[in-house]
């Protein structure tokens, strides 16, 4: 009983002071546990203040796409496809015109005994939004898919003599792919431009052949025309978002 007196006295003394003082100075029996609790609280506070924060992703620069059938001027269409069936073009189907769209033109220029010249021209747009949850910007997504579109063009089924080179002055990044492809018993020449302007990827294809003894178009001429048209398509993205 004598040994328990000091402990009893201390308990009674703690009971006589305010509760906050009891918590601060009268918990010696659980001092080690209290220390651990305090350390955990401090660590949690540090995690909240100095821990890793979600990456900040800039919003996509372009939020709209141009009307694909108006992305290239009528004058250019008349030059590329002289006998086009419709100068207004044929719009491709899209479930989301703010993210993807396309348009095509084709025509057969019949020159009688001199043969005929067939041309096909199309342009497509792909726009990428930023993915905040993944920490990926729209521009980065477009860069990744720009590379995929190039690979897709290079791997066209049946393509021969594929040649790839930079398309200088077209968008922020541009690649020219030319090749030959046999269709309907004729040798077609192809000129494809894949370009990127920030978070938008544009793919433009221009091809043609000669029928009834007419010569096939020169691939260099096709590419020159394709580059000029691609510059117009790139500019149309900026206009649509101005």
């Amino acid at each position: 009983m004598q040994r328990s007196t000091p402990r009893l006295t201390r308990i009674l003394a703690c009971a006589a002071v305010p509760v906050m003082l009891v918590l601060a100075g009268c918990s010696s029996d659980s001092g080690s546990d209290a220390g651990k609790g305090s350390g955990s609280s401090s660590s949690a506070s540090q995690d909240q203040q100095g821990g890793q924060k979600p990456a900040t992703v800039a919003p996509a620069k372009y939020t709209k796409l141009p009307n694909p059938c108006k992305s290239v001027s009528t004058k250019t269409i008349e030059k590329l496809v002289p006998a086009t069936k419709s100068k207004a073009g044929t719009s491709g189907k899209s479930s989301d015109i703010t993210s993807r769209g396309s348009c095509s033109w084709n025509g057969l220029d019949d020159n009688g005994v001199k043969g005929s010249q067939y041309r096909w021209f199309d342009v497509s747009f792909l726009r990428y939004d930023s993915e905040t949850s993944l920490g990926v910007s729209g521009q980065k997504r477009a860069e990744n898919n720009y590379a995929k579109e190039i690979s897709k063009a290079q791997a066209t089924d049946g393509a021969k003599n594929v040649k790839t080179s930079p398309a200088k002055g077209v968008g922020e990044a541009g690649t020219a792919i030319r090749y030959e492809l046999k269709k309907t018993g004729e040798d077609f020449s192809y000129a494809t431009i894949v370009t990127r302007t920030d978070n938008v990827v544009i793919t433009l294809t221009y091809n043609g052949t000669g029928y009834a003894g007419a010569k096939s178009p020169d691939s260099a001429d096709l590419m020159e025309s394709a580059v000029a048209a691609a510059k117009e398509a790139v500019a149309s993205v900026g206009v649509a978002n101005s």
Side-chain angles (χ1 to χ4, degrees):
M1 291 297 291
Q2 291 180 353
R3 291 181 180 178
S4 62
T5 298
R7 177 179 176 81
L8 179 60
T9 301
R10 188 172 75 251
I11 293 174
L12 292 175
C14 286
V17 298
V19 174
M20 290 302 293
L21 292 180
V22 173
L23 293 176
C26 298
S27 302
S28 59
D29 289 342
S30 58
S32 59
D33 290 338
K36 292 180 181 178
S38 176
S40 299
S41 176
S42 175
S43 176
S45 176
Q46 290 177 0
D47 287 342
Q48 292 176 357
Q49 295 178 8
Q52 293 183 350
K53 297 180 180 180
T56 301
V57 180
K61 180 178 180 179
Y62 295 123
T63 58
K64 302 176 182 178
L65 286 179
N67 179 336
C69 292
K70 295 182 178 180
S71 63
V72 179
S73 69
T74 300
K75 183 178 179 180
T76 298
I77 295 300
E78 290 176 344
K79 180 181 178 181
L80 270 59
V81 190
T84 180
K85 295 179 180 179
S86 172
K87 293 180 181 180
T90 302
S91 179
K93 294 181 180 180
S94 174
S95 58
D96 182 3
I97 59 174
T98 65
S99 297
R100 61 179 63 235
S102 64
C103 192
S104 64
W105 297 259
N106 70 89
L108 181 67
D109 187 13
D110 190 349
N111 296 304
V113 295
K114 294 182 180 180
S116 303
Q117 289 289 334
Y118 176 81
R119 296 291 185 274
W120 170 283
F121 172 74
D122 68 60
V123 60
S124 66
F125 296 81
L126 294 172
R127 188 187 66 82
Y128 299 91
D129 281 317
S130 295
E131 291 283 358
T132 304
S133 60
L134 300 177
V136 183
S137 67
Q139 178 179 328
K140 184 61 178 178
R141 293 182 65 204
E143 289 174 356
N144 293 338
N145 284 279
Y146 164 72
K148 291 179 181 179
E149 290 298 317
I150 293 172
S151 297
K152 187 188 298 184
Q154 293 171 327
T156 298
D157 189 30
K160 299 181 297 181
N161 302 321
V162 180
K163 297 179 181 178
T164 304
S165 60
K168 297 180 180 179
V170 184
E172 293 172 33
T175 299
I177 305 105
R178 67 178 67 180
Y179 54 90
E180 297 170 2
L181 187 65
K182 199 171 189 65
K183 298 191 304 181
T184 63
E186 301 293 339
D187 292 320
F188 279 69
S189 296
Y190 274 74
T192 296
I193 299 290
V194 181
T195 182
R196 180 186 64 79
T197 174
D198 207 275
N199 60 307
V200 176
V201 175
I202 304 169
T203 301
L204 183 150
T205 301
Y206 184 37
N207 68 75
T209 191
Y211 285 109
K215 290 184 178 180
S216 294
D218 182 77
S219 60
D221 291 339
L222 288 181
M223 185 58 73
E224 183 179 352
S225 297
V227 167
K231 290 180 179 179
E232 289 188 31
V234 169
S236 73
V237 176
V239 172
N241 286 271
S242 62

